[in-house]
Amino acid sequence: MAHDLLIKNKSSFLELMKIYYFFIFLLLLLSTSLFAAPKTLKKGVWYTELQLSDKDVLPFLFELKNTKGSLSFTIKNGEERILLSDIERKKDSLFVYFPAFDSEFRSKLHSNKHLSGYWINHEKKGNYRIPFWSKHEFKTKYPIEKTVAQVSGRWEVTFDYQGDQPYPAIGLFESNVIKSYTGQLLQNRITGTFLTETGDYRFLEGATIGDSLYLSAFDGAHAFLFKAQLREDTLWGTFLSGNHYKCQWFGVRNSAFQLQSPDSLTSLTSKSPLIFTLPSIDGGTYSYPNENLKGKVVLIQIMGTWCPNCLDESIYLKQLLHEYSKELEIIAVSFETPKTIDEKIEKVSAYRKNLNLPYTFLIGGDACKPCATALFPMLSDITSFPTLLFIDKQGTIRKIHTGFNGPGTGNYYQEFVTSTQQFIEQLVKEEF
């Protein structure tokens, strides 16, 4: 009888264990279905914040498209649009790579309307990353207000005025009444940029809120946030670049203020001829001068693929070469962050391919101004990437242009385009 009871109890125990494991399996199945990564992400506008510090966030918007299962992101910076189509999905993780710069988003998908992770910039030393989150929602970058501070116009600006190396700039701000994605009129919107003697801070977009100004831009290379308070006729502000740089700045209205001419910052210090032999990204080495350049005007672009102003200049040079394909030769000498020559070549090759640049690219060395100065000893120094050398048909350096103020500077850019084309025309017409 005891034996039968033992068998009965054992049988009941086994039945209970079966039921127990069945419920465990059911819970696992439910949890997998409830918390599994979404198959698709919601199309449309996503609001995003980069957490630059405990108190400072940089907002930006991107539009997500899904065409036949192929995702793409388009980031909006004022008039600029940055298309990101190199996207990799691994279960609940999403990797989005920038085409021109060595940076990426690494994110986790919480739902089809929410993701978070890090923006990682491989150009910076160390494990440089900034946390972010993004949600599918029709939210403006900055709050909407009707009564706003009047900051439109031209400002004389000094950055890092409390530091050891203050530097001047021109602030160009313009009020714009635009529509949001939901059709709301945004009356306090501001666009503009800052011009410095080494280049501009590209396409900035923001707003005036009460007595304060906010401007920001994110392009995959830089995360810029400018804040300022208007006190009487002066702006007092803070500039943050990512989570690694912060300085104070102030600006006063001054429609007559000018920076030094970009054609005067670097000069020739000797009559030594320009001669170099450098690795080409097409294989082997390339020597300057050479027979193929005889009778041609030559532009030498001293640049780096990590530099947004260089990107703007590269796009402009592509247009210029299209107009003067028979009379003009362009040679880019690139100074890069990777350690090995093979890594440098790979990086520059991807840059040229992504931008479809039809001119010669050489590897100058590491990404540092003294490295560039050492390669061009006949120049006083290289103070900025990019620096552009204009060389006539005789091989003489006729002009040296430091930095680049691109399309974000409006009339300044148009004036540069006009004057440069006139100068190229002059060099082309000269006899060989």
Side-chain angles (χ1 to χ4, degrees), residues 11-179:
S11 177
S12 299
F13 176 75
L14 290 174
E15 289 298 324
L16 286 171
M17 291 301 295
K18 287 180 181 178
I19 294 171
Y20 171 77
Y21 283 118
F22 172 76
F23 276 108
I24 292 295
F25 172 75
L26 188 61
L27 285 171
L28 288 172
L29 187 64
L30 285 171
S31 65
T32 301
S33 62
L34 286 172
F35 299 105
K39 292 182 180 180
T40 59
L41 292 175
K42 194 76 172 175
K43 294 187 291 184
V45 180
W46 288 58
Y47 174 83
T48 307
E49 286 187 356
L50 285 168
Q51 193 73 44
L52 303 187
S53 70
D54 293 339
K55 298 180 180 180
D56 297 297
V57 296
L58 189 161
F60 67 91
L61 303 175
F62 70 81
E63 184 176 4
L64 187 148
K65 293 184 179 180
N66 190 340
T67 306
K68 296 181 179 179
S70 179
L71 292 179
S72 67
F73 292 67
T74 300
I75 294 176
K76 178 177 179 289
N77 283 318
E79 297 301 317
E80 182 183 37
R81 301 293 183 271
I82 303 171
L83 176 63
L84 309 178
S85 57
D86 187 0
I87 299 173
E88 186 178 6
R89 171 84 179 264
K90 294 181 180 179
K91 296 182 179 179
D92 66 344
S93 297
L94 196 69
F95 302 84
V96 183
Y97 305 98
F98 282 81
F101 307 117
D102 192 7
S103 70
E104 62 179 286
F105 287 116
R106 292 182 186 177
S107 56
K108 180 178 180 179
L109 280 63
H110 303 288
S111 73
N112 68 340
K113 295 183 178 181
H114 179 209
L115 56 86
S116 66
Y118 292 90
W119 170 56
I120 301 173
N121 189 349
H122 300 289
E123 303 284 3
K124 302 289 185 184
K125 293 181 180 179
N127 186 20
Y128 189 89
R129 56 181 59 205
I130 296 176
F132 81 95
W133 64 265
S134 185
K135 288 185 178 180
H136 179 275
E137 57 181 325
F138 289 108
K139 183 177 179 181
T140 60
K141 287 175 62 175
Y142 294 99
I144 303 169
E145 286 198 359
K146 293 184 178 179
T147 304
V148 297
Q150 298 300 317
V151 299
S152 293
R154 179 190 179 98
W155 295 72
E156 178 182 351
V157 175
T158 302
F159 283 101
D160 198 21
Y161 64 88
Q162 295 178 329
D164 297 330
Q165 296 181 318
Y167 60 96
I170 296 173
L172 298 175
F173 312 135
E174 182 178 353
S175 296
N176 290 283
V177 178
I178 62 175
K179 283 187 178 181

Side-chain angles (χ1 to χ4, degrees), residues 260-280:
Q260 292 186 72
S261 168
D263 297 337
S264 67
L265 298 175
T266 298
S267 59
L268 286 170
T269 57
S270 75
K271 296 182 179 180
S272 301
L274 179 59
I275 300 173
F276 56 77
T277 298
L278 295 170
S280 168

Side-chain angles (χ1 to χ4, degrees), residues 125 302-304 306 333-337 344 364-376 382-385:
K125 293 181 180 179
I302 303 169
M303 52 84 68
W306 42 267
V333 181
S334 195
F335 294 82
E336 298 297 321
T337 56
K344 286 180 170 66
D366 293 332
C368 69
K369 294 175 185 176
C371 300
T373 301
L375 188 62
F376 298 93
I382 303 296
T383 61
S384 174
F385 293 101

Side-chain angles (χ1 to χ4, degrees), residues 176-284:
N176 290 283
V177 178
I178 62 175
K179 283 187 178 181
S180 72
Y181 286 101
T182 57
Q184 293 171 290
L185 286 179
L186 308 180
Q187 298 181 6
N188 59 330
R189 285 324 186 242
I190 298 289
T191 57
T193 193
F194 292 92
L195 288 75
T196 76
E197 291 179 344
T198 58
D200 68 282
Y201 286 149
R202 309 188 81 241
F203 298 88
L204 301 178
E205 182 181 11
T208 50
I209 302 172
D211 63 353
S212 296
L213 167 68
Y214 298 86
L215 287 167
S216 59
F218 174 70
D219 58 18
H222 292 127
F224 288 153
L225 176 64
F226 300 87
K227 304 185 299 180
Q229 185 181 39
L230 182 63
R231 302 176 191 167
E232 295 181 353
D233 61 349
T234 306
L235 285 169
W236 298 91
T238 303
F239 166 39
L240 292 92
S241 178
N243 58 13
H244 67 283
Y245 179 78
K246 182 177 182 179
C247 77
Q248 306 302 312
W249 64 276
F250 73 89
V252 295
R253 293 184 185 275
N254 188 345
S255 60
F257 177 67
Q258 296 285 350
L259 299 170
Q260 292 186 72
S261 168
D263 297 337
S264 67
L265 298 175
T266 298
S267 59
L268 286 170
T269 57
S270 75
K271 296 182 179 180
S272 301
L274 179 59
I275 300 173
F276 56 77
T277 298
L278 295 170
S280 168
I281 68 170
D282 295 317

